[in-house]
mmCIF file of all heavy atoms in Angstrom:
data_model
loop_
_atom_site.group_PDB
_atom_site.id
_atom_site.type_symbol
_atom_site.label_atom_id
_atom_site.label_comp_id
_atom_site.label_asym_id
_atom_site.label_seq_id
_atom_site.Cartn_x
_atom_site.Cartn_y
_atom_site.Cartn_z
ATOM 1 N N TYR V 149 120.121 113.959 102.514
ATOM 2 C CA TYR V 149 119.360 113.866 103.787
ATOM 3 C C TYR V 149 119.797 112.465 104.293
ATOM 4 O O TYR V 149 120.129 112.288 105.473
ATOM 5 C CB TYR V 149 117.785 113.806 103.495
ATOM 6 C CG TYR V 149 116.931 113.676 104.685
ATOM 7 C CD1 TYR V 149 116.734 114.760 105.610
ATOM 8 C CD2 TYR V 149 116.290 112.400 104.860
ATOM 9 C CE1 TYR V 149 115.873 114.686 106.629
ATOM 10 C CE2 TYR V 149 115.481 112.345 105.964
ATOM 11 C CZ TYR V 149 115.281 113.339 106.866
ATOM 12 O OH TYR V 149 114.351 113.296 107.873
ATOM 13 N N ALA V 150 119.709 111.430 103.527
ATOM 14 C CA ALA V 150 120.040 110.027 103.954
ATOM 15 C C ALA V 150 121.426 109.983 104.385
ATOM 16 O O ALA V 150 121.926 109.189 105.293
ATOM 17 C CB ALA V 150 119.723 109.084 102.859
ATOM 18 N N LEU V 151 122.398 110.579 103.662
ATOM 19 C CA LEU V 151 123.829 110.551 104.028
ATOM 20 C C LEU V 151 124.234 111.297 105.268
ATOM 21 O O LEU V 151 125.322 111.119 105.671
ATOM 22 C CB LEU V 151 124.614 111.046 102.808
ATOM 23 C CG LEU V 151 124.726 110.178 101.561
ATOM 24 C CD1 LEU V 151 125.288 111.014 100.459
ATOM 25 C CD2 LEU V 151 125.340 108.933 101.850
ATOM 26 N N ARG V 152 123.276 111.929 105.810
ATOM 27 C CA ARG V 152 123.512 112.533 107.195
ATOM 28 C C ARG V 152 123.152 111.672 108.261
ATOM 29 O O ARG V 152 123.282 111.979 109.470
ATOM 30 C CB ARG V 152 122.727 113.969 107.228
ATOM 31 C CG ARG V 152 123.248 115.018 106.308
ATOM 32 C CD ARG V 152 122.884 116.355 106.817
ATOM 33 N NE ARG V 152 121.435 116.504 106.676
ATOM 34 C CZ ARG V 152 120.707 116.938 105.566
ATOM 35 N NH1 ARG V 152 121.449 117.243 104.530
ATOM 36 N NH2 ARG V 152 119.417 117.066 105.566
ATOM 37 N N CYS V 153 122.589 110.459 108.050
ATOM 38 C CA CYS V 153 122.204 109.594 108.958
ATOM 39 C C CYS V 153 123.412 109.112 109.792
ATOM 40 O O CYS V 153 124.576 109.143 109.278
ATOM 41 C CB CYS V 153 121.748 108.340 108.236
ATOM 42 S SG CYS V 153 121.510 106.812 109.221
ATOM 43 N N LYS V 154 123.209 108.848 111.057
ATOM 44 C CA LYS V 154 124.280 108.522 112.055
ATOM 45 C C LYS V 154 124.661 107.106 112.070
ATOM 46 O O LYS V 154 125.597 106.630 112.712
ATOM 47 C CB LYS V 154 123.862 109.008 113.402
ATOM 48 C CG LYS V 154 123.715 110.432 113.561
ATOM 49 C CD LYS V 154 123.374 110.890 114.933
ATOM 50 C CE LYS V 154 123.246 112.422 115.123
ATOM 51 N NZ LYS V 154 122.907 112.739 116.439
ATOM 52 N N ASN V 155 123.912 106.285 111.327
ATOM 53 C CA ASN V 155 124.290 104.860 111.200
ATOM 54 C C ASN V 155 125.248 104.553 110.066
ATOM 55 O O ASN V 155 125.018 104.892 108.903
ATOM 56 C CB ASN V 155 123.056 103.964 110.969
ATOM 57 C CG ASN V 155 123.381 102.483 110.925
ATOM 58 O OD1 ASN V 155 123.826 101.957 109.844
ATOM 59 N ND2 ASN V 155 123.056 101.690 112.049
ATOM 60 N N ARG V 156 126.431 104.086 110.435
ATOM 61 C CA ARG V 156 127.494 103.984 109.423
ATOM 62 C C ARG V 156 127.117 103.026 108.219
ATOM 63 O O ARG V 156 127.560 103.303 107.046
ATOM 64 C CB ARG V 156 128.750 103.439 110.098
ATOM 65 C CG ARG V 156 130.026 103.336 109.271
ATOM 66 C CD ARG V 156 130.611 104.830 108.877
ATOM 67 N NE ARG V 156 130.282 105.198 107.649
ATOM 68 C CZ ARG V 156 130.481 106.381 107.226
ATOM 69 N NH1 ARG V 156 130.810 107.450 107.895
ATOM 70 N NH2 ARG V 156 130.167 106.737 105.822
ATOM 71 N N PHE V 157 126.515 101.903 108.550
ATOM 72 C CA PHE V 157 126.078 100.987 107.529
ATOM 73 C C PHE V 157 125.167 101.626 106.607
ATOM 74 O O PHE V 157 125.279 101.422 105.302
ATOM 75 C CB PHE V 157 125.485 99.652 108.161
ATOM 76 C CG PHE V 157 125.136 98.582 107.236
ATOM 77 C CD1 PHE V 157 126.083 97.745 106.787
ATOM 78 C CD2 PHE V 157 123.770 98.578 106.583
ATOM 79 C CE1 PHE V 157 125.772 96.722 105.904
ATOM 80 C CE2 PHE V 157 123.492 97.519 105.708
ATOM 81 C CZ PHE V 157 124.539 96.575 105.378
ATOM 82 N N MET V 158 124.062 102.359 107.032
ATOM 83 C CA MET V 158 123.165 103.031 106.156
ATOM 84 C C MET V 158 123.838 104.072 105.313
ATOM 85 O O MET V 158 123.512 104.136 104.055
ATOM 86 C CB MET V 158 122.168 103.744 107.073
ATOM 87 C CG MET V 158 121.229 102.763 107.711
ATOM 88 S SD MET V 158 119.914 102.180 106.685
ATOM 89 C CE MET V 158 118.802 103.654 106.552
ATOM 90 N N VAL V 159 124.935 104.726 105.930
ATOM 91 C CA VAL V 159 125.490 105.868 105.133
ATOM 92 C C VAL V 159 126.290 105.136 103.979
ATOM 93 O O VAL V 159 126.176 105.659 102.762
ATOM 94 C CB VAL V 159 126.499 106.662 106.017
ATOM 95 C CG1 VAL V 159 127.405 107.577 105.088
ATOM 96 C CG2 VAL V 159 125.673 107.613 106.879
ATOM 97 N N ASP V 160 126.949 104.104 104.246
ATOM 98 C CA ASP V 160 127.780 103.290 103.303
ATOM 99 C C ASP V 160 126.939 102.850 102.243
ATOM 100 O O ASP V 160 127.266 102.844 100.949
ATOM 101 C CB ASP V 160 128.543 102.200 103.953
ATOM 102 C CG ASP V 160 129.747 102.749 104.779
ATOM 103 O OD1 ASP V 160 130.123 104.031 104.670
ATOM 104 O OD2 ASP V 160 130.245 101.903 105.593
ATOM 105 N N TRP V 161 125.763 102.282 102.538
ATOM 106 C CA TRP V 161 124.809 101.742 101.683
ATOM 107 C C TRP V 161 124.177 102.742 100.688
ATOM 108 O O TRP V 161 124.222 102.640 99.417
ATOM 109 C CB TRP V 161 123.632 101.067 102.295
ATOM 110 C CG TRP V 161 122.568 100.589 101.470
ATOM 111 C CD1 TRP V 161 121.198 100.915 101.468
ATOM 112 C CD2 TRP V 161 122.620 99.602 100.425
ATOM 113 N NE1 TRP V 161 120.481 100.215 100.558
ATOM 114 C CE2 TRP V 161 121.316 99.363 99.830
ATOM 115 C CE3 TRP V 161 123.639 98.809 99.885
ATOM 116 C CZ2 TRP V 161 121.070 98.544 98.919
ATOM 117 C CZ3 TRP V 161 123.344 97.795 98.951
ATOM 118 C CH2 TRP V 161 122.007 97.687 98.361
ATOM 119 N N PHE V 162 123.779 103.966 101.215
ATOM 120 C CA PHE V 162 123.319 104.964 100.348
ATOM 121 C C PHE V 162 124.425 105.544 99.440
ATOM 122 O O PHE V 162 124.093 105.831 98.215
ATOM 123 C CB PHE V 162 122.693 106.115 101.144
ATOM 124 C CG PHE V 162 121.221 105.836 101.486
ATOM 125 C CD1 PHE V 162 120.970 105.384 102.783
ATOM 126 C CD2 PHE V 162 120.268 106.198 100.588
ATOM 127 C CE1 PHE V 162 119.618 105.185 103.020
ATOM 128 C CE2 PHE V 162 118.895 105.936 100.865
ATOM 129 C CZ PHE V 162 118.488 105.432 102.075
ATOM 130 N N ASP V 163 125.551 105.670 99.970
ATOM 131 C CA ASP V 163 126.703 106.240 99.168
ATOM 132 C C ASP V 163 127.140 105.134 98.054
ATOM 133 O O ASP V 163 127.360 105.523 96.867
ATOM 134 C CB ASP V 163 127.951 106.379 100.092
ATOM 135 C CG ASP V 163 129.132 106.947 99.369
ATOM 136 O OD1 ASP V 163 128.999 108.077 98.821
ATOM 137 O OD2 ASP V 163 130.113 106.275 99.209
ATOM 138 N N PHE V 164 126.979 103.890 98.377
ATOM 139 C CA PHE V 164 127.272 102.858 97.298
ATOM 140 C C PHE V 164 126.248 102.871 96.232
ATOM 141 O O PHE V 164 126.571 102.903 95.047
ATOM 142 C CB PHE V 164 127.284 101.439 98.008
ATOM 143 C CG PHE V 164 127.061 100.284 97.067
ATOM 144 C CD1 PHE V 164 128.195 99.954 96.282
ATOM 145 C CD2 PHE V 164 125.922 99.662 96.961
ATOM 146 C CE1 PHE V 164 128.174 98.753 95.478
ATOM 147 C CE2 PHE V 164 125.792 98.596 96.066
ATOM 148 C CZ PHE V 164 126.921 98.162 95.287
ATOM 149 N N ASN V 165 124.942 103.071 96.594
ATOM 150 C CA ASN V 165 123.928 103.066 95.540
ATOM 151 C C ASN V 165 123.917 104.391 94.712
ATOM 152 O O ASN V 165 123.810 104.376 93.539
ATOM 153 C CB ASN V 165 122.585 102.902 96.296
ATOM 154 C CG ASN V 165 122.186 101.501 96.529
ATOM 155 O OD1 ASN V 165 121.757 100.852 95.630
ATOM 156 N ND2 ASN V 165 122.360 101.147 97.723
ATOM 157 N N LEU V 166 124.338 105.451 95.466
ATOM 158 C CA LEU V 166 124.502 106.719 94.602
ATOM 159 C C LEU V 166 125.565 106.610 93.622
ATOM 160 O O LEU V 166 125.436 107.047 92.470
ATOM 161 C CB LEU V 166 124.793 107.903 95.554
ATOM 162 C CG LEU V 166 124.878 109.303 94.958
ATOM 163 C CD1 LEU V 166 123.594 109.676 94.413
ATOM 164 C CD2 LEU V 166 125.303 110.304 96.059
ATOM 165 N N THR V 167 126.698 105.985 94.011
ATOM 166 C CA THR V 167 127.784 105.801 93.081
ATOM 167 C C THR V 167 127.418 104.911 91.994
ATOM 168 O O THR V 167 127.694 105.169 90.753
ATOM 169 C CB THR V 167 128.975 105.175 93.980
ATOM 170 O OG1 THR V 167 129.472 106.154 94.861
ATOM 171 C CG2 THR V 167 130.209 104.850 93.034
ATOM 172 N N VAL V 168 126.810 103.742 92.195
ATOM 173 C CA VAL V 168 126.465 102.799 91.222
ATOM 174 C C VAL V 168 125.492 103.436 90.170
ATOM 175 O O VAL V 168 125.698 103.312 89.034
ATOM 176 C CB VAL V 168 125.659 101.599 91.886
ATOM 177 C CG1 VAL V 168 124.971 100.768 90.768
ATOM 178 C CG2 VAL V 168 126.736 100.750 92.570
ATOM 179 N N ASN V 169 124.553 104.118 90.770
ATOM 180 C CA ASN V 169 123.498 104.827 89.874
ATOM 181 C C ASN V 169 124.281 105.927 88.938
ATOM 182 O O ASN V 169 123.944 105.900 87.725
ATOM 183 C CB ASN V 169 122.483 105.577 90.605
ATOM 184 C CG ASN V 169 121.598 104.527 91.474
ATOM 185 O OD1 ASN V 169 121.516 103.400 91.183
ATOM 186 N ND2 ASN V 169 120.951 105.052 92.496
ATOM 187 N N ASN V 170 125.042 106.694 89.568
ATOM 188 C CA ASN V 170 125.715 107.730 88.772
ATOM 189 C C ASN V 170 126.700 107.250 87.812
ATOM 190 O O ASN V 170 126.847 107.796 86.617
ATOM 191 C CB ASN V 170 126.345 108.705 89.681
ATOM 192 C CG ASN V 170 125.340 109.776 90.282
ATOM 193 O OD1 ASN V 170 124.456 110.204 89.692
ATOM 194 N ND2 ASN V 170 125.574 110.220 91.528
ATOM 195 N N VAL V 171 127.476 106.268 88.090
ATOM 196 C CA VAL V 171 128.477 105.700 87.161
ATOM 197 C C VAL V 171 127.738 105.154 86.011
ATOM 198 O O VAL V 171 128.050 105.316 84.822
ATOM 199 C CB VAL V 171 129.357 104.629 87.927
ATOM 200 C CG1 VAL V 171 130.100 103.796 86.779
ATOM 201 C CG2 VAL V 171 130.288 105.245 88.884
ATOM 202 N N LEU V 172 126.586 104.304 86.213
ATOM 203 C CA LEU V 172 125.921 103.726 85.052
ATOM 204 C C LEU V 172 125.325 104.784 84.113
ATOM 205 O O LEU V 172 125.322 104.649 82.860
ATOM 206 C CB LEU V 172 124.835 102.815 85.677
ATOM 207 C CG LEU V 172 125.444 101.515 86.280
ATOM 208 C CD1 LEU V 172 124.417 100.743 87.085
ATOM 209 C CD2 LEU V 172 126.052 100.554 85.281
ATOM 210 N N ILE V 173 124.811 105.838 84.869
ATOM 211 C CA ILE V 173 124.243 106.903 83.979
ATOM 212 C C ILE V 173 125.258 107.712 83.228
ATOM 213 O O ILE V 173 125.117 107.978 82.019
ATOM 214 C CB ILE V 173 123.487 107.964 84.940
ATOM 215 C CG1 ILE V 173 122.116 107.337 85.590
ATOM 216 C CG2 ILE V 173 123.200 109.263 84.310
ATOM 217 C CD1 ILE V 173 121.576 108.238 86.680
ATOM 218 N N ALA V 174 126.412 107.865 83.811
ATOM 219 C CA ALA V 174 127.554 108.516 83.132
ATOM 220 C C ALA V 174 128.032 107.721 81.907
ATOM 221 O O ALA V 174 128.353 108.125 80.913
ATOM 222 C CB ALA V 174 128.750 108.773 84.114
ATOM 223 N N LEU V 175 128.226 106.446 82.152
ATOM 224 C CA LEU V 175 128.698 105.541 81.070
ATOM 225 C C LEU V 175 127.685 105.547 79.981
ATOM 226 O O LEU V 175 128.005 105.570 78.745
ATOM 227 C CB LEU V 175 128.828 104.100 81.572
ATOM 228 C CG LEU V 175 129.970 103.858 82.653
ATOM 229 C CD1 LEU V 175 129.978 102.576 83.134
ATOM 230 C CD2 LEU V 175 131.322 104.193 81.958
ATOM 231 N N THR V 176 126.240 105.473 80.348
ATOM 232 C CA THR V 176 125.242 105.449 79.287
ATOM 233 C C THR V 176 125.196 106.765 78.534
ATOM 234 O O THR V 176 125.090 106.846 77.305
ATOM 235 C CB THR V 176 123.950 105.190 79.906
ATOM 236 O OG1 THR V 176 123.932 103.875 80.598
ATOM 237 C CG2 THR V 176 122.855 105.176 78.832
ATOM 238 N N ALA V 177 125.373 107.924 79.295
ATOM 239 C CA ALA V 177 125.339 109.209 78.650
ATOM 240 C C ALA V 177 126.576 109.388 77.685
ATOM 241 O O ALA V 177 126.314 109.927 76.575
ATOM 242 C CB ALA V 177 125.331 110.335 79.734
ATOM 243 N N ARG V 178 127.600 109.039 78.150
ATOM 244 C CA ARG V 178 128.768 109.109 77.326
ATOM 245 C C ARG V 178 128.664 108.164 75.989
ATOM 246 O O ARG V 178 129.063 108.583 74.929
ATOM 247 C CB ARG V 178 130.090 108.689 78.076
ATOM 248 C CG ARG V 178 131.468 108.928 77.288
ATOM 249 C CD ARG V 178 132.543 108.488 78.164
ATOM 250 N NE ARG V 178 132.911 109.646 78.968
ATOM 251 C CZ ARG V 178 134.105 109.678 79.742
ATOM 252 N NH1 ARG V 178 134.774 108.519 79.930
ATOM 253 N NH2 ARG V 178 134.430 110.628 80.448
ATOM 254 N N LYS V 179 128.105 107.032 76.180
ATOM 255 C CA LYS V 179 127.955 106.095 75.002
ATOM 256 C C LYS V 179 127.072 106.743 73.969
ATOM 257 O O LYS V 179 127.289 106.625 72.730
ATOM 258 C CB LYS V 179 127.262 104.878 75.550
ATOM 259 C CG LYS V 179 126.955 103.861 74.378
ATOM 260 C CD LYS V 179 126.351 102.627 74.980
ATOM 261 C CE LYS V 179 126.038 101.599 73.908
ATOM 262 N NZ LYS V 179 125.381 100.405 74.461
ATOM 263 N N TYR V 180 126.098 107.503 74.440
ATOM 264 C CA TYR V 180 124.995 108.102 73.386
ATOM 265 C C TYR V 180 125.430 109.610 73.152
ATOM 266 O O TYR V 180 124.630 110.373 72.731
ATOM 267 C CB TYR V 180 123.701 108.116 73.959
ATOM 268 C CG TYR V 180 123.074 106.641 73.906
ATOM 269 C CD1 TYR V 180 123.213 105.705 75.013
ATOM 270 C CD2 TYR V 180 122.643 106.098 72.679
ATOM 271 C CE1 TYR V 180 122.805 104.455 74.875
ATOM 272 C CE2 TYR V 180 122.301 104.791 72.609
ATOM 273 C CZ TYR V 180 122.311 103.958 73.605
ATOM 274 O OH TYR V 180 121.837 102.616 73.627
#
Side-chain angles (χ1 to χ4, degrees):
Y149 180 81
L151 288 170
R152 291 197 295 272
C153 167
K154 294 182 180 180
N155 181 284
R156 187 71 253 170
F157 185 85
M158 289 281 285
V159 170
D160 289 345
W161 172 244
F162 273 100
D163 184 64
F164 166 75
N165 277 279
L166 184 62
T167 296
V168 168
N169 295 340
N170 279 325
V171 168
L172 290 169
I173 288 169
L175 291 172
T176 302
R178 183 176 277 183
K179 178 180 178 180
Y180 289 96

